[in-house]
Each structure stands twice: as structure tokens, then as C-alpha cells.
């Protein structure tokens, strides 16, 4: 074994997986995981932990994996993270824990994410559950939203003995884990459902179909339902559009709509009732993880797919692994390209997209090179579907219906980073609702911090 | 799970159901809607709220069984359950927050087309409850498609029924009826609220613009989540893109781009589906049944 190289992880063949919604990455088995674990130097002063937003004792759990004590490894991780099977799959490890790994200076960093995932999957397959709380506090906390921030906050509070109820607007808990991230990256019925069950097993109640701000309000939760504190983890679910002509044509979707139809409503499976458009040639506008997810979903539904992004490959905000997978599967990257108009046929359907070529200008104040239009470079891409993946912002529904809850100019709830405290007493917030669209692990970190803040407030 | 406590066949293929949903019943107002998902594999169907009982904790919905999902919904019986029932969604009618004294001064005409009578009813009932007498036109293709006439008569000052084929009431469409009232019977109105098929609302707005009467319509585009996170329901109002599920569903009818809305409502319809719908329902069909655009 070459210790400079990580143990390769088994994956579905690109030509096979491009036609199904099964998970792409098959993960390590026990032998592979134990072998990869030997590469960890068990640093006294581990830098990897500093790269993890919830500061998992990484060398601690890897030591147990190396020794083959997987159940103990799971206990170590569970102390820090409520959703290890999710984070091991979707965290951008290359810019977090693995970016700081000493092994990475000369060779590949240790595959921390894949090891975490192995441990969590093993625990699920062997029926290992998190430990139950011992004492009851006799106080009620409401958690709004059942995404990564809400699930983490609820799980931590339940472990401390609080009586926790999660309110979820959609019909399934999980937030972006169920409606946003596709099955082929994050299996729903096994991985997500189990993580949600683990939170329920701690005594957390989950009430679906409750839209806070409409079905009831935060003030009513305090005054009429006797909650002692509230955590807002409602995310950033409001899609952005470009504002170019033709954007309301049939065949133009937000990535949120396209992915919700496919992931949450399972439109890709014909035994489900929700339809999804059947496309021949699709452009996905944007370069983030959501754009990759939408593109790879459209590909699996049978289309030729183009990613249209105004900067170059280096600036793509998506994870390197996802870009790599997308390319392997045959997604075409039209980089340094910017749409200016969507062309519409006489029936109101998309028939093409007018684009211009871009080049990168001088770095701006933030050090990012701004794309500038190349003169006379206009061309038309013929298409029948366009998916806009330009980012999302927080929904103002909760902030606008809660007395005394302040937001900033980006409509994000103002909250302290250390404990999630908002401008309203007893109300805490975290995740994308506070930061705008970010990552699953940052949302979990914020959920953890707020659980601690709420515990201090109620003690 | 949400229990069905009442089921009534109102007219040919049009059903009313009361559903136990205490949180919705407690906080809903006329103008708002719910999303129903019948079972595990079902789609999310937007339906306007037709009535509610805050004490009983029930909400009434009305739907027309025309597509596969609504036909399946029609098979549900009292005592059975819907898997999901979310709401209230959307904004309440603007009338709810207007000062009562000002409302009493206003002469208001409600125009209901087909199943659109269902979302009109709670608004007229609300107006009656605050002491405002309003007029209401109920329009349908024929006698077989008229619903809630008796209920409406209890809450409206005057109810005018118009059928395209003259099988009941005034012979003609709702626009003919509006002209009859305004031009022949000397009635005058400050506000029209029109709810029905998009094509009906479009033509009512063309007429009321000519007559100089402010008009509010309730849009019913394709929806998925109904909470503002996807934009499937986007429409253009006064040149601005709006999400009907959070910004509406009610808008100033003289500013709505109806042609775009009509094209968007066709997005998931096959040729066969459109033909079947046309033959069965004519233009009395209102998207609120969940068929419009959301199924093949």
C-alpha cells in the first residue's frame, strides 16, 4: 500500500449510474475503512478538528476504526454530530477537515468523510441507536424547520432533557436533505429517514404540514402553547431568478422546483403522481452544488445537459467531487457563458437561450475576478428546458409575522454566532435562515450552538 | 392524518368535503387555500378554502373530479383520512382588513364561475357577518354545474344565476350578466371580485376595465410546495414577477398577464387531457380543483 494515496472508494460505473437514481458512491467496507484508518497519523494537535465546524474528535474516532471498534467510533462521532451519515456524504471535506490534514501536504489527505460515512452506515445496519436522555427538564422548546439545523438543535436539546417539538411546513421532515439533495448523493429511505428516526428516538416530536407564520405564529407558540423557547431553522428556500426576458416561459424552472419534484415528490418514479417535464436538451444556469444536482438529475431523466456558468472552472462553487462526477457522467460545461434572453416558441415553450461569451477581468475588492462580456460574442443555444440555479434567500414569512425579530438587508435573521440569540427574547436562530445559503455542516454547527444557548437561557 | 367528516355531492362531479384540521381551521381566512396530499404517492393539490368551523376544527374544500388525482379524491369517504393537509396558505382577501365603515359604503359585485363559486362563498359570508350586503353572479355552462346557490342566497343581497345554455336563470355568460346589471338594470359597482377559470377572469377584466370598475381576481397556477420556495406558480402582475402562493392568490385583475398564465397552466397537459377537459367541463372548470396544470 502506498501511504501517500488514499484507499480508493468503490463507485458505480459512470455509464451505468447516468441512467439510475441509485447512490453513486458505494462507500468503504470494513476492511477498506480499517486500512484507510491506518493512514491517520493520530496527531497530538490535530488540525483536521479545527477544520470541522462541529469539532468532531477525528483522530479519536479513526483510532477506533483502525482497531475495528466501529460501535465505539460511532459513539465518539455521536457526541459531536447528529447526522454523520449525511455529513460524511455531503460536507465539502476538501475545504474543511480534509483540507487541514497533515497527510495532505505530501499526498492525499485521510478520507475523513468516507470514514465517518462508513461508521454511520455500519451503525445503521447494525441497529445502533444514540443514547437516551436520563433527566427531564420539564420545559418545552419549539424548533421551526426540520433541516440539518433544526434536527441538530432538536437532538441536542432532547439529549439535555427538554421536551422538543419540531414544526415542518412540508409533508416530510429533512429540509434540503429530502427536497434538495438527490437520491444518488443521499439516499432518502435509508440514510435520511434513519437520521430523522434517531432524532425521534430521543423523544423529539415532529409535526409536519405546519407553516409557521400561517398555520400559527411564534408569538402564539409562546402565548397559547406554552413553549419556553423557540429555535428558527427555516433555511433559505426562496429561489432567485435572473430577470431576463422569457424567464416565465414553459420549460423554465427554478432548481428548487425541479429538484423538489424529483426528490421530494419522486417524479422520476412513474408510480408517483407528480409529473416532471421530459426534456431533450437542458441548460442549467449556475455553478454551485445545486446546479450540479439539477444537471445530474436532468441527465438521469434522459436529457443532454449543459451547465452554463459565467466564470471559469476554477471559480465553480460546487464541490470538486461533484464536478468530477458530473463530467464523468457526460454533463457538458459551457463556461464563461452568460444568458441574456430565453427564446420562446408560439406555444409559450422554451426553444433556446441567447448567451454571450465572458472573459475574466481584474480581481475585485474581494479578490474575485469579475466576468466581463466579450464584445460581439452572442450566440444561441437551442434548448427545450432551462433550470435556474442562481442561489436562494431566506423566506420572509417568519420574520414578517414575529414581533420584534430583526432581519438584515439580505432578509437574514440577525443572530449571535456563538449562541444563536436573536433580537427577541427566548428566540434563537441558525443555519441558512441566518447566514443565507451555506452548507449542511455549518447549519448543524449553528443548531448545536443554539441548543447550548437555549439551555443556558432556560437554566 | 386528517379525517374526512363530511362529504356532499354538490353537482355533477363536484364534491364538498369537511376535513378535520384544527390548526388550519383556527387561523384561516377567506381568500386562502390549502394543499392536500392524499397518500404516500400522491401529488400536492392546491384547493381553496370554501368554509371553516373554528370550534369544530374543520375546513371545507370543494373540488371537481376530472383528473386522475381528483377522481381518486372523490372515492374517499367520511371517516377516511388524507395523509397531508397544509395551510392556510396565501394571503387573506384584502377585504378582511379594510375598515368596516368604508366597506359598508362600497358597492361590491362577486362573480363566480363554476367551481370558483366555492372560494367566493366564504368571502360573501364574511361580508354578511360584518353587515355588508353584496351582489353575486354565479355562472356555469348549464344547470348541472351550479353549486352553492342556496348557501349563497343566505349571505348575499342578490344572487344572479347565469347559464351559457339558458337551462337555468339568465341565458348567457357572466359578462352578459354584468352588462345586463350595469347597462340595463342601472346597477353600479365600485369593486368586482371575479373567481373562476382563467379565461373567464380574463374576459371579466377586459369588460370591467372598459366599465371602469376595479377588479380583483384569484389566480390558480400550477403549484408544488405552496410556501414560496419553488416559483412554479409565478405570474406577471403589472410587469413584475409574483409568486401566487405567497404574494396572492388574489391580484388586481387589470394588471395580470392572463395570456402568459393560460400558457403556463398548460405545462403538464397532454393533448388528450385537454380534449377530455374541454368536453367534460367546458369553461366552467376552475383550477382550484387541482386538475389545472398539475396532472396529465
Amino acid at each position: 500500500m502506498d501511504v501517500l494515496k488514499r484507499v480508493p472508494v468503490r463507485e458505480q460505473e459512470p455509464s451505468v449510474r447516468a441512467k439510475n437514481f441509485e447512490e453513486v458512491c458505494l462507500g468503504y467496507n470494513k476492511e477498506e475503512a480499517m486500512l484507510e484508518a491506518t493512514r491517520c497519523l493520530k496527531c497530538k494537535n490535530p488540525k483536521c478538528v479545527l477544520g470541522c465546524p462541529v469539532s468532531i474528535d477525528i483522530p479519536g474516532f479513526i483510532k477506533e476504526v483502525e482497531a475495528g471498534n466501529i460501535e465505539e467510533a460511532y459513539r465518539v462521532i455521536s457526541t459531536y454530530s447528529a447526522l454523520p451519515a449525511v455529513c460524511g456524504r455531503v460536507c465539502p471535506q476538501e475545504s474543511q477537515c480534509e483540507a487541514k490534514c497533515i497527510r495532505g501536504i505530501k499526498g492525499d489527505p485521510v478520507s475523513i468523510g468516507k470514514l465517518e460515512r462508513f461508521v454511520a452506515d455500519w451503525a445503521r445496519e447494525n441497529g445502533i441507536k444514540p443514547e437516551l436522555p436520563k433527566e427531564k427538564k420539564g420545559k418545552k422548546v419549539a424548533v421551526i424547520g426540520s433541516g440539518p439545523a433544526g434536527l441538530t438543535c432538536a437532538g441536542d436539546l432532547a439529549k439535555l432533557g427538554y421536551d422538543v417539538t419540531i414544526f415542518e411546513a412540508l409533508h416530510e421532515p429533512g429540509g434540503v436533505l429530502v427536497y434538495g439533495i438527490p437520491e444518488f448523493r443521499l439516499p432518502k429511505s435509508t440514510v435520511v429517514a434513519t437520521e430523522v428516526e434517531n432524532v425521534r428516538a430521543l423523544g423529539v416530536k415532529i409535526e409536519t404540514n405546519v407553516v409557521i407564520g400561517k398555520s400559527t405564529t411564534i408569538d402564539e407558540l409562546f402565548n397559547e402553547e406554552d413553549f419556553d423557547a423557540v429555535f428558527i431553522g427555516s433555511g433559505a428556500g426562496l429561489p432567485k431568478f435572473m430577470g431576463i426576458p422569457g424567464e416565465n416561459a414553459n420549460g423554465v424552472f427554478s432548481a428548487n422546483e425541479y429538484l423538489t419534484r424529483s426528490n421530494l415528490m419522486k417524479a422520476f418514479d412513474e408510480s408517483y403522481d407528480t409529473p416532471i417535464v421530459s426534456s431533450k436538451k437542458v441548460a442549467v444556469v449556475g455553478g454551485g452544488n445545486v446546479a450540479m444536482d439539477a444537471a445530474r438529475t436532468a441527465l438521469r431523466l434522459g436529457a443532454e445537459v449543459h451547465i452554463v456558468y459565467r466564470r471559469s472552472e476554477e471559480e465553480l462553487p460546487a464541490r470538486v467531487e461533484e464536478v468530477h462526477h458530473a463530467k464523468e457522467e457526460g454533463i457538458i460545461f459551457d463556461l464563461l457563458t452568460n444568458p441574456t434572453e430565453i427564446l420562446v416558441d408560439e406555444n409559450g415553450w422554451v426553444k433556446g437561450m441567447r448567451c454571450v461569451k465572458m472573459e475574466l477581468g481584474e480581481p475585485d475588492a474581494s479578490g474575485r475576478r469579475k466576468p466581463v462580456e466579450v464584445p460581439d460574442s452572442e450566440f444561441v443555444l437551442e434548448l427545450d428546458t432551462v433550470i435556474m440555479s442562481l442561489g436562494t434567500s431566506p423566506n420572509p414569512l417568519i420574520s414578517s409575522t414575529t414581533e420584534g425579530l430583526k432581519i438584515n438587508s439580505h432578509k437574514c435573521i440577525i443572530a449571535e454566532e456563538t449562541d444563536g440569540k436573536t433580537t427577541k427574547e427566548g428566540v434563537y436562530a441558525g443555519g441558512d435562515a441566518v447566514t443565507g445559503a451555506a452548507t449542511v455542516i455549518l447549519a448543524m454547527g449553528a443548531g448545536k450552538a443554539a441548543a447550548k444557548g437555549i439551555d443556558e437561557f432556560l437554566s | 392524518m386528517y379525517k374526512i367528516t363530511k362529504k356532499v355531492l354538490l353537482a355533477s362531479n363536484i364534491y364538498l368535503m369537511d376535513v378535520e384540521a384544527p390548526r388550519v381551521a383556527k387561523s384561516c381566512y377567506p381568500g386562502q387555500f390549502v394543499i392536500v396530499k392524499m397518500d404516500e404517492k400522491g401529488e400536492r393539490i392546491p384547493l381553496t378554502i370554501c368554509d371553516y368551523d373554528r370550534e369544530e376544527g374543520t375546513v371545507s374544500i370543494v373540488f371537481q373530479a376530472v383528473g386522475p388525482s381528483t377522481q381518486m379524491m372523490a372515492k374517499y369517504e367520511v371517516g377516511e383520512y388524507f395523509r397531508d393537509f397544509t395551510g392556510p396558505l396565501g394571503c387573506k382577501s384584502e377585504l378582511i382588513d379594510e375598515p368596516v365603515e368604508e366597506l359598508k359604503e362600497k358597492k361590491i359585485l362577486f362573480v363566480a364561475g363554476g367551481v370558483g363559486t366555492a372560494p367566493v362563498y366564504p368571502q360573501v359570508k364574511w361580508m354578511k357577518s360584518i353587515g355588508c350586503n353584496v351582489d353575486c353572479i354565479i355562472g356555469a355552462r348549464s344547470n348541472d354545474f351550479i353549486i352553492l346557490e342556496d348557501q349563497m342566497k343566505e349571505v348575499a343581497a342578490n344572487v344572479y344565476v347565469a347559464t351559457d345554455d339558458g337551462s337555468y336563470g339568465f341565458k348567457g355568460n357572466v359578462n352578459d350578466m354584468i352588462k345586463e346589471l350595469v347597462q340595463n338594470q342601472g346597477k353600479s359597482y365600485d369593486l368586482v371580485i371575479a373567481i373562476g377559470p382563467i379565461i373567464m377572469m380574463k374576459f371579466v377584466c377586459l369588460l370591467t376595465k372598459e366599465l371602469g370598475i376595479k377588479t380583483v381576481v384569484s389566480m390558480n397556477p400550477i403549484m408544488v410546495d405552496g410556501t414560496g420556495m419553488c416559483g412554479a406558480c409565478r405570474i406577471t402582475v403589472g410587469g413584475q414577477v409574483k409568486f401566487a402562493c405567497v404574494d396572492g392568490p388574489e391580484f388586481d385583475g387589470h394588471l395580470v398577464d392572463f395570456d402568459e398564465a393560460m400558457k403556463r397552466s398548460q405545462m403538464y397537459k397532454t393533448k388528450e387531457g385537454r380534449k377530455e377537459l374541454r368536453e367534460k367541463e367546458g369553461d366552467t372548470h376552475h383550477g382550484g380543483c387541482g386538475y389545472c396544470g398539475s396532472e396529465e
Side-chain angles (χ1 to χ4, degrees):
Chain A
M1 175 203 188
D2 179 356
V3 292
L4 296 183
K5 291 246 181 303
R6 49 174 47 159
V7 174
V9 67
R10 285 165 294 115
E11 290 179 345
Q12 276 198 75
E13 277 300 312
S15 60
V16 175
R17 72 185 195 230
K19 294 184 180 70
N20 68 45
F21 280 82
E22 308 291 317
E23 194 169 18
V24 167
C25 175
L26 303 171
Y28 284 147
N29 60 29
K30 192 168 172 184
E31 290 68 38
E32 290 160 344
M34 286 169 69
L35 187 61
E36 177 65 13
T38 63
R39 296 184 60 236
C40 174
L41 299 169
K42 321 290 178 315
C43 303
K44 282 270 175 327
N45 214 336
K47 298 278 181 284
C48 53
V49 177
L50 302 176
C52 172
V54 294
S55 310
I56 293 175
D57 175 8
I58 292 166
F61 95 79
I62 293 184
K63 193 174 78 197
E64 300 298 342
V65 174
E66 189 178 350
N69 299 329
I70 312 303
E71 186 167 348
E72 194 46 42
Y74 179 69
R75 298 221 182 286
V76 174
I77 297 175
S78 299
T79 320
Y80 304 88
S81 169
L83 312 166
V86 171
C87 288
R89 285 172 166 83
V90 305
C91 271
Q93 290 105 7
E94 67 273 19
S95 58
Q96 294 179 336
C97 53
E98 293 177 16
K100 300 252 159 96
C101 176
I102 298 295
R103 276 264 182 235
I105 296 172
K106 196 181 157 199
D108 292 339
V110 174
S111 289
I112 301 165
K114 299 286 187 288
L115 288 174
E116 181 189 23
R117 167 191 161 146
F118 164 73
V119 169
D121 286 356
W122 185 93
R124 179 182 68 247
E125 283 153 16
N126 289 278
I128 311 296
K129 293 277 171 201
E131 280 166 60
L132 289 178
K134 289 179 189 73
E135 49 158 351
K136 289 263 176 252
K137 295 261 184 192
K139 287 196 174 144
K140 281 173 75 181
V141 183
V143 169
I144 300 167
S146 64
L151 287 174
T152 304
C153 186
D156 277 17
L157 287 167
K159 281 185 204 164
L160 291 168
Y162 290 97
D163 177 1
V164 185
T165 305
I166 298 181
F167 295 101
E168 166 56 47
L170 289 172
H171 58 270
E172 294 289 348
V176 76
L177 308 177
V178 291
Y179 77 75
I181 304 173
E183 199 78 30
F184 54 83
R185 279 218 289 143
L186 186 62
K188 308 294 165 230
S189 60
T190 49
V191 177
V192 180
T194 307
E195 305 269 42
V196 171
E197 272 324 300
N198 284 345
V199 173
R200 271 206 183 101
L202 294 168
V204 172
K205 295 181 276 288
I206 303 180
E207 223 190 294
T208 52
N209 299 320
V210 180
V211 186
I212 301 296
K214 292 283 182 190
S215 313
T216 187
T217 62
I218 287 179
D219 293 311
E220 285 169 351
L221 290 178
F222 279 119
N223 301 334
E224 293 170 24
E225 300 193 32
D226 299 324
F227 281 98
D228 300 294
V230 172
F231 172 74
I232 306 171
S234 52
L238 209 64
K240 289 179 185 153
F241 287 91
M242 289 189 83
I244 57 174
E247 224 171 356
N248 282 1
N250 288 356
V252 182
F253 303 92
S254 71
N256 263 12
E257 179 186 351
Y258 196 77
L259 290 171
T260 298
R261 283 179 183 277
S262 180
N263 300 331
L264 178 69
M265 307 310 294
K266 304 207 187 309
F268 67 84
D269 179 341
E270 285 196 354
S271 72
Y272 286 76
D273 294 342
T274 301
I276 196 160
V277 72
S278 121
S279 314
K280 289 196 181 67
K281 195 169 166 187
V282 177
V284 177
V285 182
N289 286 318
V290 176
M292 299 304 138
D293 287 344
R296 296 170 70 199
T297 298
L299 181 98
R300 281 161 173 75
L301 292 168
E304 174 190 318
V305 185
H306 294 245
I307 289 271
V308 175
Y309 180 59
R310 64 195 181 123
R311 298 175 197 258
S312 68
E313 175 152 1
E314 217 172 291
E315 288 83 15
L316 280 171
R319 290 191 62 193
V320 174
E321 182 180 334
E322 302 311 322
V323 174
H324 173 70
H325 280 154
K327 283 187 174 169
E328 277 186 337
E329 288 165 11
I331 305 281
I332 300 157
F333 283 72
D334 294 343
L335 300 166
L336 289 165
T337 302
N338 202 31
T340 55
E341 183 185 357
I342 290 162
L343 306 171
V344 188
D345 73 12
E346 66 279 8
N347 297 317
W349 271 92
V350 172
K351 63 174 181 185
M353 190 161 76
R354 206 186 294 283
C355 299
V356 286
K357 295 303 266 178
M358 310 293 277
E359 57 190 6
L360 291 180
E362 291 302 307
D364 62 14
S366 66
R368 245 180 143 192
R369 293 175 67 191
K370 197 177 154 67
V372 194
E373 194 178 319
V374 176
D376 305 317
S377 63
E378 194 174 278
F379 68 101
V380 169
L381 202 54
E382 279 178 35
L383 302 160
D384 58 9
T385 306
V386 177
I387 300 169
M388 290 294 177
S389 180
L390 309 160
T392 53
S393 61
N395 191 324
L397 186 56
I398 288 172
S399 53
S400 66
T401 54
T402 308
E403 202 75 42
L405 187 70
K406 293 215 172 88
I407 53 172
N408 66 19
S409 59
H410 300 288
K411 299 199 172 121
C412 297
I413 295 169
I414 296 171
E416 304 280 341
E417 207 177 313
T418 48
D419 61 1
K421 191 186 257 183
T422 67
T423 54
K424 186 178 172 79
E425 172 151 311
V427 178
Y428 292 73
D432 289 3
V434 170
T435 56
T439 61
V440 168
I441 188 73
L442 282 175
M444 288 178 52
K448 272 192 102 58
K452 208 162 145 266
I454 290 170
D455 183 42
E456 278 159 17
F457 169 70
L458 293 178
S459 298
Chain B
M1 301 283 272
Y2 303 82
K3 192 178 182 181
I4 300 162
T5 59
K6 183 174 158 188
K7 179 185 180 185
V8 186
L9 180 65
L10 293 179
S12 172
N13 270 333
I14 304 175
Y15 295 86
L16 177 144
M17 282 182 184
D18 284 359
V19 181
E20 245 174 38
R23 281 198 190 277
V24 186
K26 176 176 155 264
S27 50
C28 67
Y29 283 95
Q32 293 186 297
F33 65 95
V34 293
I35 282 188
V36 182
K37 185 171 181 287
M38 279 183 285
D39 57 17
E40 182 67 34
K41 296 193 170 182
E43 58 183 330
R44 293 170 65 91
I45 304 169
L47 295 169
T48 35
I49 292 167
C50 172
D51 205 352
Y52 47 88
D53 187 326
R54 300 213 199 279
E55 258 126 63
E56 293 290 316
T58 57
V59 174
S60 309
I61 51 171
V62 170
F63 61 94
Q64 190 162 21
V66 282
S69 279
T70 43
Q71 276 164 5
M72 166 123 73
M73 190 179 272
K75 294 195 180 116
Y76 277 69
E77 298 298 340
V78 170
E80 290 188 286
Y81 294 81
F82 291 130
R83 185 185 186 278
D84 300 287
F85 193 93
T86 311
L89 300 168
C91 301
K92 52 191 172 184
S93 157
E94 278 183 18
L95 299 173
I96 308 294
D97 288 329
E98 267 184 53
V100 174
E101 289 317 307
E102 281 174 36
L103 276 181
K104 281 184 176 163
E105 295 297 305
K106 263 190 196 159
K107 291 189 290 290
I108 301 175
L109 173 67
F110 283 86
V111 179
V115 189
T117 312
V120 165
Y121 173 69
Q123 300 203 22
V124 175
K125 187 179 171 187
W126 175 273
M127 297 303 285
K128 169 86 174 177
S129 75
I130 58 168
C132 296
N133 293 315
V134 303
D135 287 355
C136 179
I137 298 173
I138 298 176
R141 190 155 61 99
S142 77
N143 194 12
D144 295 339
F145 296 100
I146 296 162
I147 58 168
L148 303 170
E149 185 194 355
D150 294 340
Q151 288 90 330
M152 199 71 87
K153 278 182 171 159
E154 283 174 28
V155 289
N158 299 293
V159 174
Y160 307 95
V161 178
T163 52
D164 293 353
D165 62 0
S167 53
Y168 184 71
F170 178 86
K171 184 178 188 308
N173 61 30
V174 292
N175 263 8
D176 298 329
M177 189 76 236
I178 295 171
K179 280 187 219 158
E180 165 69 19
L181 292 177
V182 174
Q183 291 167 348
N184 297 342
Q185 299 189 18
K187 292 258 190 180
S188 74
Y189 295 103
D190 307 308
L191 176 66
V192 166
I193 291 143
I195 306 179
I198 307 181
I199 185 87
M200 179 209 95
M201 295 192 287
K202 175 186 168 173
F203 282 105
V204 167
C205 287
L206 287 173
L207 174 65
T208 55
K209 194 157 192 186
E210 220 173 272
L211 298 172
I213 310 170
K214 188 189 171 202
T215 300
V216 169
V217 295
S218 178
M219 299 302 287
N220 231 305
I222 294 171
M223 285 186 190
V224 185
D225 64 289
T227 62
M229 63 171 256
C230 86
C233 65
R234 61 194 191 276
I235 58 171
T236 304
V237 182
Q240 305 273 318
V241 176
K242 300 279 180 190
F243 290 4
C245 72
V246 286
D247 300 320
E250 297 197 343
F251 294 99
D252 181 338
H254 294 156
L255 298 177
V256 169
D257 184 339
F258 286 105
D259 294 338
E260 179 188 272
M262 272 188 273
K263 281 180 183 153
R264 285 186 63 80
S265 74
Q266 303 291 323
M267 208 177 314
Y268 291 97
K269 279 186 195 160
T270 60
K271 263 184 207 158
E272 293 72 22
R274 276 202 296 277
K275 187 162 167 279
E276 190 190 344
L277 188 67
R278 198 162 49 239
E279 281 169 2
K280 274 195 185 156
E281 310 304 330
D283 64 5
T284 62
H285 177 69
H286 183 238
C289 75
Y291 182 81
C292 262
S294 58
E295 298 171 41
E296 291 200 343

